[in-house]
Amino acid sequence: MAEFVRIHEVGPRDGLQNEKRIISATDKIRLVDMLSACRFERIEVTSFVRADRVPQMADGADVMAGITRRPGTRYTVLTPNLRGYEAALAARADEVAVFASASEGFSRKNINCSIAESFERFAPLIWRAGADGVPVRGYVSCVVDCPYDGPTPPAQVAEVAERLRRLGCCEISLGDTIGTGTPERVAAMLDAVLERLPALELAGHFHDTNGRAIDNITVALEKGLRVFDAAAGGLGGCPYAPGAEGNVATGKTVDHLVALGFETGIDRDRLAEAEAFARSLRGAR
Ligand code: HMG
Ligand code: MG
């Protein structure tokens, strides 16, 4: 039997968050429902962050309330602090995610605090989630380069990833936020992280700015990773990461994995429909 690779669909959140034109909650709900029909095990629906910082995600509660929940899919959201967590809980999120950075510059711009302070904000959230039985995923951004600080030392990525894991995150997603990673640099970063954490607790989150995301997934597969984040239609970017282009497209990722002999469990025809709809939501660039 083919080995399984899980795709964590981040299109409704990472794919849409940087769109300038505000997309209606109805369209976001339709996208999530179309993605549910593809049989993803996890879909990242929205984030509970400051509306003045990321206006596109301001309707997170409405979107969560409007989606049709498919048994077998877990609906996840980004939560930077306790306030975000409480909103996520009220919205019946199945899983939440905290997001740290491996670089100080991006931490300050993105979440308005140092890396050390971010852990002080995450700790009470992760304890509360533990008590509530809600799993917490941990993101590490800028694992290769930071738009403000330049190249990120691999040891710094390993340090932040291990701290998130020790705090109680169930899975650590390693983000090449601005998509400048090459297979060689991604391999060096992964080697440093794998000295501290097992491959099966990690996920790869590759933006495709330089068209290397698929090559980076290949190298991560060789290192033993079996979870990858992707966005329907290749949408995406981060408002605090200038130059960051789309996430790796989900269809392209599924096709690559299948060509390598892996099983993803995704309905490819339904995914083609969801990707076409996702692309139709994208504004002119
Ligand atoms: P802050 O200003 O430092 O927070 O924001 P604060 O605790 O000082 O509070 C200031 C005000 O914000 C208060 O309101 C709080 O209530 C409010 P006031 O009393 O002045 O009226 N506030 C909130 N409101 C709504 N939801 C909340 C919340 N928390 C405080 N959760 C914060 C810190 C992180 C919230 C802010 O900087 C923020 O919202 N940043 C946006 C971060 C973001 O969403 N970035 C994009 C996602 S990350 C990403 O894309 C990377 C990733 O894909 C991986 C990769 O590619 O690398 C994950
Ligand atoms: Mg991202």
Side-chain angles (χ1 to χ4, degrees):
M1 230 175 77
E3 200 183 342
F4 188 76
V5 170
R6 176 160 58 78
I7 297 187
H8 190 106
E9 170 59 48
V10 296
R13 194 280 303 172
D14 206 1
L16 298 184
Q17 70 182 6
N18 205 28
E19 284 297 319
K20 297 290 166 280
R21 179 183 72 86
I22 297 294
I23 297 158
S24 70
T26 308
D27 279 343
K28 290 172 182 158
I29 292 164
R30 184 169 165 212
L31 176 61
V32 174
D33 287 349
M34 289 180 85
L35 291 166
S36 294
C38 304
R39 297 197 301 260
F40 288 99
E41 285 187 17
R42 284 181 190 65
I43 300 175
E44 199 163 274
V45 177
T46 187
S47 51
F48 289 98
V49 298
R50 284 180 58 156
D52 58 334
R53 302 287 306 269
V54 188
Q56 189 65 257
M57 297 287 106
D59 58 2
D62 296 337
V63 177
M64 286 293 283
I67 58 174
T68 302
R69 291 168 187 247
R70 186 192 81 94
T73 297
R74 271 150 70 174
Y75 298 90
T76 79
V77 303
L78 282 196
T79 51
N81 51 21
L82 257 185
R83 177 168 167 174
Y85 175 75
E86 271 153 18
L89 201 64
R92 297 197 299 121
D94 297 310
E95 182 176 308
V96 299
V98 295
F99 43 111
S101 172
S103 69
E104 287 293 347
F106 186 71
S107 186
R108 290 208 171 275
K109 292 276 187 203
N110 192 42
I111 54 175
N112 194 32
C113 63
S114 67
I115 297 172
E117 285 161 347
S118 74
F119 280 97
E120 283 165 29
R121 293 179 180 188
F122 300 152
L125 185 168
I126 295 171
W127 295 330
R128 265 284 304 280
D132 294 335
V134 176
V136 184
R137 184 179 218 227
Y139 279 100
V140 185
S141 286
C142 300
V143 299
V144 178
D145 284 319
C146 169
Y148 308 103
D149 298 351
T152 307
Q156 218 162 288
V157 181
E159 171 72 24
V160 173
E162 190 184 16
R163 279 188 72 180
L164 284 172
R165 183 68 190 91
R166 276 220 224 104
L167 261 187
C169 290
C170 59
E171 177 173 282
I172 309 299
S173 174
L174 302 168
D176 177 14
T177 314
I178 56 172
T180 51
T182 57
E184 297 73 24
R185 296 181 69 206
V186 167
M189 179 275 295
L190 287 175
D191 286 342
V193 177
L194 289 167
E195 280 177 25
R196 315 250 199 130
L197 295 173
L200 293 180
E201 291 180 3
L202 304 174
H205 179 107
F206 297 108
H207 285 256
D208 210 7
T209 315
N210 291 346
R212 302 305 303 272
I214 289 290
D215 299 331
N216 293 334
I217 287 175
T218 304
V219 93
L221 284 166
E222 284 163 13
K223 301 277 178 195
L225 275 69
R226 292 294 180 266
V227 180
F228 294 97
D229 302 353
L235 271 59
C238 172
Y240 298 98
E245 280 302 323
N247 292 79
V248 65
T250 312
K252 187 161 113 172
T253 305
V254 169
D255 292 346
H256 182 62
L257 290 167
V258 169
L260 292 178
F262 292 101
E263 167 66 46
T264 67
I266 303 304
D267 183 324
R268 192 63 184 84
D269 294 337
R270 291 267 169 85
L271 178 58
E273 290 164 17
E275 292 211 284
F277 181 62
R279 276 190 226 102
S280 79
L281 298 176
R282 169 178 248 174
R285 292 177 173 242

